[in-house]
């Protein structure tokens, strides 16, 4: 039996019953990493030594509850105490945070075993984990194709069996889009549901932390641990966290599902549309009422996102100046030159362009034209969703317009188009394996009203059980 | 083109990012194209719409005025490129 | 020349609040601690940290707003002010731009018996920056060191209307503002330590002209004295320039304390654009009327009220009342002392006289002083009972100040009890008269002044302990004998 292939919930059960040891589970994952990592390139940093120590400790104490003893990975923009956190940027090469992100800290406290930090686009800016200053990550289903981004490392590692699950982030759709391309489950919870403390900020009004898992049950298990109020994040929600396992049922009778027509227009590949429509039929079979609906301001989401995200990023990323940490130009003669050169050389082109764009958008003369206007249209986009959720329990759509495509082949604009609106509205959204096109996974996106993570899990679980896409895995052993 | 190389240069001073000539050229082009595509927002009349500044309806999020432990000086300086006398060392200001 | 022109002055004051923790993180405030020892990921500007607002900052801001007769905003929020400086860890300052917590207030000063309202444009909340340490001057230092202990300290910025017309008024405004803040106990208001900082905007215009002249901003005003001096200098500079037909440049200038001049701060500064925008990390603050009322109820007696009370209840002069209400600690001392010994005028004289003199001499604050209101009252009672003379009292008081001992103990230990025994004094008087025949002649010839000399001689011989009233009386009696 290949232990790495187990689900989180199965492995947890076996650990609990003493059928396996945490060290064996880790050993299996470690072997798997040895075998496939040179093909996938999902990691920036491996922490197997620390992981071994922790697994041994856990075995000695034999205290396995929840996710205790199960190896996982963390996207490299979540701060980890004592472990380098680079955001895949030369700017932060070697940066060792003196604190854990809240989500990481909660998993750590629950006995989870971190095996490494996962690759991403530099500071989350990019679409296919290609702007990482280290290396791109390849799609486990086809190594010549992109893994998505910016959470490509997380999604690929989970899909390839290098970790059981991963913590990742989602600003404009990062973890959903990557999950879709890699055929795994990715959930962006309601804004504020998971603390952002320790997540290196790009666009503070949209950044969220969420799990990437191989199935919906595992997603629920991870959410159980990472969701909930945190006094270190001013936007953390106080609402009580239910046991999400309680939502894992297959009867969808009476559930009202809308599919927004704007997400099925011609820019979405026909094969993807077909796959999602098939999924909608499945939902009808499961007892849901499925109707077409509209989110009329969807087409404005991309420009709104670009303006707001670049503006917030330009300010959030001002702190990377070479003074207190990070890359510094040692030759500079004065402070302004030192900061400019450190930033000019420490950041990659995508990041620099974004910061400059945001600087422009916030400048006195342009503020009203761009920033203020974008905030207004953001309201229209959010209100589209509010109206839709008066009628529907959730919305179902493709996560991406295409399946993962060969590196360098497609237009990046399309890749986040369908994930951005939910980010702007702050609502929960997830991507689950929803079909296959030419041997590549299609992402099915579920979007719900605020705090409706449970509803999303329920619909996702019912679909997953009725289909079997989550059981398919890429073949990497040649 | 919405932005010239000169504009990009001015922004690079404001944002403290040194750029090569090629970068200025490329960024002027790319940023202009992004700004051009934002022109689609002009279709909407937004005069009477309140900007959405906060996606949550939270307010008065405040903590008690209680001291929490700070970092030790060596932890605070652990990542510093240069330090001296328990402080971060930087080149002269002017 | 100055009659021809009128100065228009507005002040921007920054006050460091004495909360327990910083504005947006749980680090304690520090002054003079080991550098970078009161810091955390938040105030170090480390990636991933998120500001969380200190409730006390808002409470202090509301309190201050109310004391300055401001309207408290029902809705206010925080904005980011973006600029790069190595003492600003995130390279943006959390501040308030267009929705400050308080606005449209005033405070009252009294200039030559005339009361005048100075408008308060706004009060807003923000965070302080860290400190830069240079080797020598900022211009010549080869490098700088950054200490972020102060970064994130809560500040209020209090902006006056341009209602101030003279350097004297400016410093009276500052004194009044300072005393209000001290009464509220929201700040230490120590200008030398930087917990109270002031920038001045000044322009000059011919009297009668409506339009404002070109304004300059003066920074680096570290004391009331430098505020007044700098304004005097700057106003004179403006007038001279105008008289010469010159053109003023709108600019920021710095006060050079050593040379007593203002200097232009023109540097290779690029056109500044702070790119303000609402901080998405900080939800807005909504202050309902109940909250305002709750804070209003906690407002202590303010300087103006205290002043009125001192004048009407104790009949103190407006001068005395002003001095006693400069600081809450001083007033509390005074009130506590009066509660034990109902001689307000006498106590006022001692507090503003000997006590203030000794405090200044020792560079101390009244709250650190070893003399307590009770011990001062006890000493004054000794005086009243005639146990010690007024002259001895000063000696006793200084001893109380230095040792903290009770006045009774000092009097006893040092044998300072006043001699009121007439026969003992009579003996000394006789000696003095016998020893100074010439002076006695002078007195008898009508030179009243000569008596003073003889009294002095008696006091000297008694080591200051003889009761001066008795000395006087006995001398007169003896000298009037034919």
């Amino acid at each position: 039996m290949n232990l790495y292939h187990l689900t989180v919930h199965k492995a947890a059960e076996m650990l609990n019953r003493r059928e396996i040891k945490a060290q064996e589970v880790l050993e299996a994952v470690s072997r798997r990493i040895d075998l496939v990592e040179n093909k996938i390139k999902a990691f920036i940093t491996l922490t197997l030594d620390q992981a071994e120590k922790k697994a041994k400790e856990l075995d000695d104490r034999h205290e396995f509850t929840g996710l205790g003893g199960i190896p996982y990975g963390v996207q490299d923009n979540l701060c980890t105490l004592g472990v380098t956190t680079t955001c895949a940027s030369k700017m932060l090469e070697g940066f060792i945070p003196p604190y854990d992100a809240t989500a990481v800290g909660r998993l750590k406290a629950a006995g989870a075993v971190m095996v490494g930090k996962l690759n991403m686009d530099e500071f989350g800016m990019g679409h296919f984990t290609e702007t990482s200053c280290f290396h791109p990550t390849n799609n486990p289903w086809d190594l010549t194709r992109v893994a998505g981004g910016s959470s490509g490392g997380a999604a690929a590692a989970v899909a390839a069996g290098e970790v059981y699950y991963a913590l990742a982030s989602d600003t404009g759709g990062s973890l959903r889009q990557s999950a879709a391309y890699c055929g795994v489950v990715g959930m962006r919870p309601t804004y504020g549901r998971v603390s952002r403390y320790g997540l290196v900020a790009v666009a503070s009004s949209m950044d969220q932390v969420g799990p990437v898992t191989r199935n919906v049950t595992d997603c629920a298990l991870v959410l159980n641990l990472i969701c909930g109020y945190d006094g270190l994040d001013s936007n953390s929600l106080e609402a009580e966290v239910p046991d999400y396992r309680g939502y894992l049922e297959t009867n969808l009778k009476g559930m009202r599902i809308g599919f927004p027509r704007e997400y099925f227009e011609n820019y979405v590949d026909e094969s993807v549309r077909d796959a999602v429509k098939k999924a909608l039929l499945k939902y009808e079979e499961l007892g849901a009422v499925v109707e077409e609906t509209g989110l009329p301001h969807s087409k404005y989401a991309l420009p709104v996102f670009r303006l707001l995200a670049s503006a917030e990023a330009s300010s959030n990323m001002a702190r990377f100046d070479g003074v207190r940490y990070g890359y510094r130009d040692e030759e500079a003669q004065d402070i302004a030159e030192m900061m400019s050169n450190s930033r000019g050389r420490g950041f990659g082109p995508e990041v620099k362009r974004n910061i400059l764009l945001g600087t422009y958008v916030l400048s006195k003369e342009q503020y009203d034209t761009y920033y203020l206007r974008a905030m207004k249209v953001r309201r229209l986009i959010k209100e589209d969703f509010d109206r839709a959720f008066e009628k529907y329990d959730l919305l179902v759509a493709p996560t991406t317009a295409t399946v993962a495509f060969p590196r360098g082949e497609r237009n990046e604009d399309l890749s986040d188009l369908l994930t951005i609106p939910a980010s702007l509205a702050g609502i929960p959204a997830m991507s689950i394996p929803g079909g296959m096109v030419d041997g590549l996974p299609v992402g099915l996106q579920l979007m719900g009203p605020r705090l409706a993570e449970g509803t999303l899990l329920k619909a996702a679980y019912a679909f997953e059980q009725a289909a079997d896409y989550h059981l398919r895995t890429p073949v990497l052993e040649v | 083109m919405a932005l010239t190389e000169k504009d990009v240069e001015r922004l690079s001073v404001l944002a403290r990012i040194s750029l090569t000539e090629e970068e200025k050229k490329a960024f002027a082009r790319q940023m202009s194209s992004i700004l051009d595509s934002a022109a689609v927002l002009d279709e909407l009349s937004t005069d009477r719409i309140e900007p959405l500044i906060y996606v949550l309806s939270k307010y008065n999020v405040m903590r008690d005025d209680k001291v929490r432990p700070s970092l030790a000086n060596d932890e605070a300086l652990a990542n510093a490129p240069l330090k001296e006398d328990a402080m971060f060392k930087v080149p002269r200001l002017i | 020349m100055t009659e021809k022109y009128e100065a228009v002055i507005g002040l921007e004051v920054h006050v460091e609040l004495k909360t327990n923790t910083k504005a947006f993180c749980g680090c304690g405030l520090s002054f003079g601690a080991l550098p970078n020892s009161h810091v955390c990921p938040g105030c170090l500007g480390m990636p991933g940290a998120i500001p969380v607002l200190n409730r006390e900052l808002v409470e202090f801001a509301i309190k201050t707003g109310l004391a300055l007769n401001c309207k408290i905003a029902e809705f206010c929020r925080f904005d980011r002010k973006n600029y790069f400086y190595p003492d600003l860890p995130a390279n943006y300052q959390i501040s308030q731009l267009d929705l400050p917590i308080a606005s449209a207030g005033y405070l009252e000063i009294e200039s030559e018996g005339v009361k005048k309202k100075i408008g308060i444009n706004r009060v807003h909340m923000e965070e302080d920056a860290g400190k830069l340490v240079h080797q020598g001057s900022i211009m010549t230092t080869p490098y700088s060191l950054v200490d972020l202990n102060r970064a994130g300290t809560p500040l209020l910025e209090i902006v006056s209307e341009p209602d101030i017309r003279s350097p004297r008024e400016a410093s009276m405004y500052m004194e009044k503002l300072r005393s209000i803040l001290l009464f509220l106990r929201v700040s230490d208001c120590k200008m030398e330590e930087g917990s109270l900082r002031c920038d001045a905007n000044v322009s000059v215009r011919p009297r009668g002209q409506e339009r404002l002249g070109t304004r300059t901003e003066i920074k680096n005003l570290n004391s009331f004295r430098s505020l007044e001096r700098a304004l005097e200098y700057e106003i004179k500079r403006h007038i001279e320039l105008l008289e010469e037909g010159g053109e003023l440049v709108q600019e920021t200038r710095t006060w050079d304390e050593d040379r007593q001049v203002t200097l232009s701060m023109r540097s290779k500064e690029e056109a500044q654009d702070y790119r303000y925008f609402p901080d998405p990390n900080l939800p807005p603050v909504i202050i309902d009327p109940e909250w305002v009322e709750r804070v209003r109820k906690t407002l202590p007696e303010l300087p103006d009220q205290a002043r009125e009370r001192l004048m009407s209840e104790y009949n103190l002069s407006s001068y005395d009342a002003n001095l006693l209400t400069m600081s809450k600690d001083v007033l509390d001392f005074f009130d506590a002392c009066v509660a034990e010994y109902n001689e307000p005028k006498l106590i006022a004289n001692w507090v503003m006289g000997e006590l203030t003199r000794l405090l200044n001499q020792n560079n101390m604050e009244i709250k650190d002083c070893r003399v307590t209101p009770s011990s001062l009252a006890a000493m004054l009672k000794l005086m009243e009972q005639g146990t010690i003379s007024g002259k001895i009292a000063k000696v006793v008081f200084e001893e109380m100040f230095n040792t903290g001992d009770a006045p009774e103990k000092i009097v006893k230990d040092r044998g300072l009890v006043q001699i009121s025994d007439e026969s003992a004094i009579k003996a000394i008087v006789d000696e003095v008269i016998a020893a100074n025949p010439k002076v006695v002649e002078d007195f008898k010839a009508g030179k009243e002044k000569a008596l003073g000399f003889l009294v002095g001689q008696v006091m000297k011989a008694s080591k200051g302990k003889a009761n001066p009233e008795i000395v006087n009386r006995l001398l007169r009696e003896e000298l009037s004998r034919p």
Side-chain angles (χ1 to χ4, degrees):
Chain A
M1 184 175 56
N2 269 325
L3 286 183
Y4 76 84
H5 194 61
L6 293 176
T7 61
V8 171
H9 54 280
K10 182 70 187 164
E13 208 177 283
M14 291 173 74
L15 280 165
N16 213 359
R17 291 204 209 121
R18 301 191 181 219
E19 288 166 20
I20 48 172
K21 287 180 152 189
Q23 289 167 97
E24 292 171 64
V25 178
L26 180 64
E27 176 61 28
V29 162
S30 177
R31 273 201 310 270
R32 181 67 180 171
I33 291 171
D34 272 350
L35 190 68
V36 304
E37 173 58 11
N38 61 345
K39 297 174 184 164
I40 307 294
K41 297 199 156 303
F43 285 93
I44 290 175
T45 307
L46 280 167
T47 56
L48 288 165
D49 289 349
Q50 288 114 295
E52 269 165 41
K53 233 186 257 166
K54 174 130 187 189
K56 180 162 189 319
E57 260 174 51
L58 290 164
D59 280 334
D60 291 349
R61 280 188 287 134
H62 195 82
E63 275 173 24
F64 293 107
T65 48
L67 303 182
I70 299 177
Y72 77 110
V74 176
Q75 188 171 328
D76 211 18
N77 60 346
L78 281 154
C79 288
T80 42
L81 172 70
V83 177
T84 51
T85 299
T86 68
C87 293
S89 178
K90 183 177 170 188
M91 177 57 87
L92 280 182
E93 225 176 322
F95 172 66
I96 301 178
Y99 49 100
D100 271 324
T102 298
V104 171
R106 290 190 178 188
L107 291 177
K108 188 185 264 183
V113 177
M114 185 178 83
V115 296
K117 302 296 294 286
L118 295 160
N119 201 14
M120 56 184 288
D121 280 301
E122 183 183 4
F123 284 105
M125 295 177 189
H127 303 81
F128 312 117
T129 316
E130 286 173 327
T131 66
S132 164
C133 80
F134 299 103
H135 46 73
T137 294
N138 299 317
N139 193 311
W141 294 87
D142 177 347
L143 298 174
T144 66
R145 288 176 191 259
V146 298
S150 52
S151 309
V158 172
E162 295 185 274
V163 290
Y164 279 79
Y165 66 97
L167 272 191
S169 75
D170 189 303
T171 302
S174 167
L175 76 80
R176 285 168 287 157
Q177 182 248 48
S178 306
Y181 284 165
C182 293
V184 292
V185 174
M187 159 88 79
R188 171 201 167 87
T190 308
Y191 180 77
R193 197 52 161 144
V194 179
S195 170
R196 287 179 300 125
Y197 183 79
L199 168 65
V200 180
V202 179
S204 308
S205 76
M206 287 174 262
D207 296 340
Q208 256 302 278
V209 179
V212 177
T213 61
R214 283 187 219 140
N215 59 71
V216 176
T217 309
D218 292 356
C219 180
L221 287 173
V222 181
L223 284 179
N224 274 352
L225 284 178
I226 63 173
C227 287
Y229 177 73
D230 176 19
L232 296 176
D233 176 357
S234 298
N235 282 316
S236 176
L237 291 169
E238 278 157 34
E240 208 182 304
V241 181
D243 183 346
Y244 287 115
R245 285 174 304 183
Y247 289 92
L248 305 177
E249 50 164 310
T250 51
N251 184 358
L252 299 186
K253 210 153 197 69
M255 185 177 273
R256 299 161 304 164
I257 293 178
F259 63 96
R261 63 179 74 87
E262 294 79 5
Y263 286 60
F264 293 83
E265 285 170 11
N266 283 338
Y267 60 84
V268 180
D269 275 6
E270 200 172 354
S271 56
V272 171
R273 275 183 274 157
D274 288 347
V276 174
K277 280 177 187 162
K278 250 199 257 168
L280 288 168
L281 287 175
K282 184 70 83 187
Y283 272 119
E284 282 185 331
E285 285 170 28
L286 290 166
V289 179
V290 177
E291 286 174 8
E292 186 179 68
T293 182
L295 297 169
H297 295 94
S298 298
K299 72 163 169 170
Y300 304 108
L302 181 63
V304 165
F305 175 80
R306 279 170 159 174
L307 297 175
L308 297 181
S310 66
E312 290 186 31
S314 73
S315 173
N316 281 330
M317 300 188 65
R319 67 189 61 211
F320 303 106
D321 59 3
V323 173
R324 288 145 290 121
Y325 51 81
Y327 176 80
R328 175 191 289 202
D329 168 30
E330 305 278 5
E331 311 293 291
Q333 291 305 301
D334 65 49
I335 190 78
E337 188 189 350
M338 187 281 274
M339 287 183 176
S340 296
N341 287 349
S342 300
R343 291 162 63 76
R345 294 169 199 170
F347 290 139
E350 186 94 9
V351 173
K352 286 190 271 192
R353 195 192 65 204
N354 241 307
I355 293 174
L356 293 170
L357 180 66
T359 305
Y360 181 71
V361 165
L362 288 178
S363 65
K364 219 173 182 172
E365 306 81 50
Q366 305 304 328
Y367 185 89
D368 286 1
T369 313
Y370 292 111
Y371 194 70
L372 187 65
R373 168 116 37 129
M375 286 198 292
K376 289 177 166 190
V377 180
R378 184 178 187 181
R379 179 173 300 281
L380 297 177
I381 291 164
K382 181 184 172 286
E383 286 172 354
D384 278 356
F385 281 106
D386 292 346
R387 267 190 297 277
F389 291 129
E390 282 169 19
K391 242 178 124 181
Y392 303 103
D393 298 311
L394 66 127
L395 300 172
V396 173
T399 310
T400 54
T402 67
V403 293
F405 42 80
R407 197 164 287 294
E409 218 174 67
R410 290 288 286 261
N411 172 6
E412 57 190 36
D413 286 1
L414 280 177
S415 66
D416 293 337
L417 219 51
L418 305 179
T419 52
I420 283 173
S423 290
L424 288 169
I427 57 171
M430 74 190 290
S431 180
I432 59 173
M436 296 294 282
V437 170
D438 301 334
L440 293 166
V442 172
L444 186 66
Q445 186 176 206
L446 315 179
M447 294 172 276
R450 237 158 58 85
L451 293 176
E453 285 83 2
T455 315
L456 295 189
L457 288 169
K458 179 176 168 179
Y461 182 75
F463 180 85
E464 176 187 270
Q465 296 303 308
D468 65 346
Y469 299 115
H470 70 294
L471 298 177
R472 304 191 193 186
T473 49
V475 181
L476 283 159
E477 302 85 348
V478 191
Chain B
M1 214 156 71
L3 284 177
T4 64
E5 283 165 54
K6 205 97 206 115
D7 293 327
V8 172
E9 194 176 299
R10 189 180 53 84
L11 292 170
S12 77
V13 174
L14 213 51
R16 294 277 192 279
I17 296 181
S18 62
L19 298 177
T20 62
E21 290 308 312
E22 296 82 71
E23 281 176 323
K24 283 178 206 166
K25 215 171 273 167
F27 290 163
R29 199 184 59 242
Q30 293 161 0
M31 288 163 65
S32 294
S33 124
I34 294 171
L35 293 170
D36 288 346
S37 69
V40 66
L41 302 182
D42 296 344
E43 290 173 7
L44 298 166
S45 143
T46 52
D47 291 352
R48 294 219 302 261
I49 298 166
E50 271 296 300
L52 182 76
I53 296 175
Y54 308 103
V55 74
L56 303 176
S57 47
K58 286 175 83 83
Y59 60 93
N60 294 359
V61 178
M62 295 175 285
R63 65 182 166 81
D64 292 339
D65 189 22
K66 285 207 188 94
V67 176
R68 285 169 47 98
S70 296
L71 293 173
N73 176 269
D74 56 338
E75 291 175 303
L77 294 173
N79 285 288
L82 270 179
K83 52 194 156 188
E84 189 175 301
D85 294 342
M87 289 180 270
F88 302 98
K89 188 172 177 182
V90 295
R92 61 191 156 78
L93 290 155
I94 308 159
Chain C
M1 193 108 74
T2 41
E3 288 88 66
K4 206 171 133 193
Y5 291 95
E6 173 184 58
V8 177
I9 300 164
L11 298 181
E12 279 176 27
V13 174
H14 286 91
V15 198
E16 273 184 8
L17 300 181
K18 53 172 189 184
T19 48
N20 296 321
T21 64
K22 294 186 177 181
F24 300 107
C25 67
C27 287
L29 304 189
S30 65
F31 185 81
L34 171 75
N36 297 303
S37 63
H38 288 59
V39 290
C40 69
C43 55
L44 282 174
M46 282 196 165
I50 299 173
V52 184
L53 175 60
N54 182 350
R55 180 183 289 106
E56 196 77 333
L57 162 55
V58 183
E59 295 271 337
F60 279 15
I62 297 175
K63 228 181 224 181
T64 305
L66 289 175
L68 295 173
N69 306 295
C70 288
K71 185 181 168 335
I72 305 299
E74 286 164 35
F75 180 99
C76 75
R77 69 162 183 249
F78 291 97
D79 301 281
R80 293 189 190 173
K81 180 180 182 180
N82 293 285
Y83 65 96
F84 285 85
Y85 210 70
D87 65 4
L88 189 63
N91 286 313
Y92 62 79
Q93 180 195 31
I94 301 176
S95 182
Q96 298 194 287
L97 177 65
D98 44 11
L99 296 170
I101 188 161
S103 57
Y106 66 88
L107 64 70
E108 213 168 54
I109 57 172
E110 196 178 309
S111 176
E112 284 140 27
V114 183
K115 284 185 180 169
K116 176 174 175 180
K117 278 182 185 171
I118 308 291
I120 304 286
N121 176 283
R122 59 186 280 157
V123 177
H124 75 246
M125 303 180 276
E126 61 184 30
E127 55 176 344
D128 207 348
K131 275 183 181 159
L132 294 174
V133 179
H134 315 293
Q135 280 191 327
S137 135
I138 186 172
M139 307 295 287
T140 56
T141 183
Y143 59 87
S144 296
L145 299 173
V146 187
D147 172 13
L148 296 174
N149 277 348
R150 198 181 67 180
T153 298
L155 290 181
L156 293 183
E157 179 172 329
I158 301 169
V159 183
S160 85
E161 296 291 352
D163 291 345
I164 299 163
R165 291 287 172 270
S166 70
R168 180 74 199 116
E169 278 187 12
S171 109
M172 287 193 320
Y173 168 87
M174 279 299 283
E175 274 166 15
K176 179 50 85 58
L177 181 58
R178 181 173 178 274
S179 70
I180 291 172
L181 295 166
L182 288 172
F183 271 57
L184 293 174
R185 299 201 182 285
V186 296
S187 172
D188 288 333
C189 293
K190 291 182 183 162
M191 276 187 106
E192 330 73 60
E193 289 179 12
S195 62
L196 182 68
R197 311 199 275 270
C198 170
D199 300 335
N201 283 300
V202 57
S203 66
V204 156
R205 63 183 171 193
R207 273 184 206 284
Q209 178 182 300
E210 181 79 18
R211 190 171 47 81
L212 292 171
T214 304
R215 127 182 91 87
T216 53
E217 185 179 358
I218 319 171
K219 291 190 179 287
N220 195 30
L221 303 170
N222 299 328
S223 66
F224 289 86
R225 219 176 128 84
S226 49
L227 169 66
E228 261 188 76
R229 290 273 170 86
L231 282 170
E232 275 159 15
Y233 176 89
E234 191 63 9
I235 290 166
K236 189 158 161 275
R237 193 182 71 86
H238 281 217
I239 293 173
E240 281 170 6
L241 246 170
L242 291 176
E243 284 289 303
E244 285 166 15
E247 189 101 346
L248 273 157
V249 187
Q250 183 168 336
E251 61 178 352
T252 304
R253 300 174 71 85
T254 183
W255 173 243
D256 185 325
E257 187 70 52
D258 297 333
R259 293 160 58 193
Q260 298 278 302
V261 292
T262 66
L263 299 170
S264 175
M265 284 174 77
R266 246 171 293 158
S267 56
K268 58 172 184 176
E269 211 176 326
E270 76 263 19
Q272 198 51 274
D273 180 346
Y274 291 121
R275 290 159 285 136
Y276 279 100
F277 76 108
D279 192 331
N281 276 329
L282 289 160
V285 178
I286 295 177
I287 304 163
D288 56 25
E290 290 84 71
W291 188 356
V292 176
E293 283 321 301
R294 191 161 48 70
V295 176
R296 197 190 298 278
K297 284 196 189 107
T298 69
L299 283 184
E301 180 187 52
L302 291 170
D304 283 346
Q305 297 161 325
R307 207 171 145 269
E308 284 305 310
R309 175 169 62 83
L310 297 189
M311 288 166 67
S312 63
E313 278 183 32
Y314 300 143
N315 261 324
L316 295 185
S317 70
S318 111
Y319 177 82
D320 288 354
N322 266 343
L323 283 178
L324 287 172
T325 53
M326 294 271 273
S327 138
K328 176 71 172 150
D329 290 330
V330 171
L331 178 67
D332 284 351
F333 188 101
F334 170 82
D335 279 334
C337 198
V338 171
E340 298 204 17
Y341 183 61
N342 193 16
E343 287 290 345
K345 176 64 193 159
L346 181 65
I347 291 169
N349 289 344
W350 275 87
V351 170
M352 293 179 302
E354 280 305 282
L355 180 56
T356 304
R357 183 181 69 79
L358 289 168
L359 287 172
N360 290 342
Q361 206 172 54
N362 291 280
N363 209 0
M364 274 168 72
E365 305 241 0
I366 197 162
K367 64 177 191 306
D368 310 318
C369 154
R370 302 168 103 162
V371 177
T372 63
S374 305
S375 63
L376 174 57
M379 189 205 77
L380 296 174
K381 282 176 196 163
L382 291 179
M383 257 175 79
E384 187 186 36
Q385 292 153 6
T387 311
I388 53 174
S389 66
K391 198 166 173 181
I392 290 293
K394 287 191 180 172
V395 177
V396 172
F397 188 78
E398 188 152 353
E399 188 75 10
M400 286 161 65
F401 187 91
N402 291 330
T403 63
D405 284 347
E408 296 86 346
K409 179 173 186 300
I410 295 167
V411 168
K412 189 166 155 259
D413 290 357
R414 296 190 41 184
L416 296 172
V417 178
Q418 181 167 257
I419 302 168
S420 299
D421 174 353
E422 292 207 13
S423 59
I425 296 174
K426 173 82 167 38
I428 303 172
V429 166
D430 289 346
E431 272 172 40
V432 168
I433 287 174
N436 295 284
K438 175 82 175 61
V439 185
V440 171
E441 281 312 305
D442 286 351
F443 179 78
K444 288 186 171 171
K447 255 186 155 178
E448 185 69 17
K449 255 192 181 165
L451 183 70
F453 176 81
L454 296 171
V455 171
Q457 291 302 304
V458 177
M459 293 308 288
K460 198 173 162 193
S462 73
K463 297 197 176 84
K465 291 189 282 184
N467 182 326
E469 270 173 48
I470 300 175
V471 173
N472 260 291
R473 179 163 52 74
L474 291 182
L475 266 174
R476 279 187 189 279
E477 279 172 19
E478 286 308 310
L479 294 170
S480 62
R481 282 176 215 281

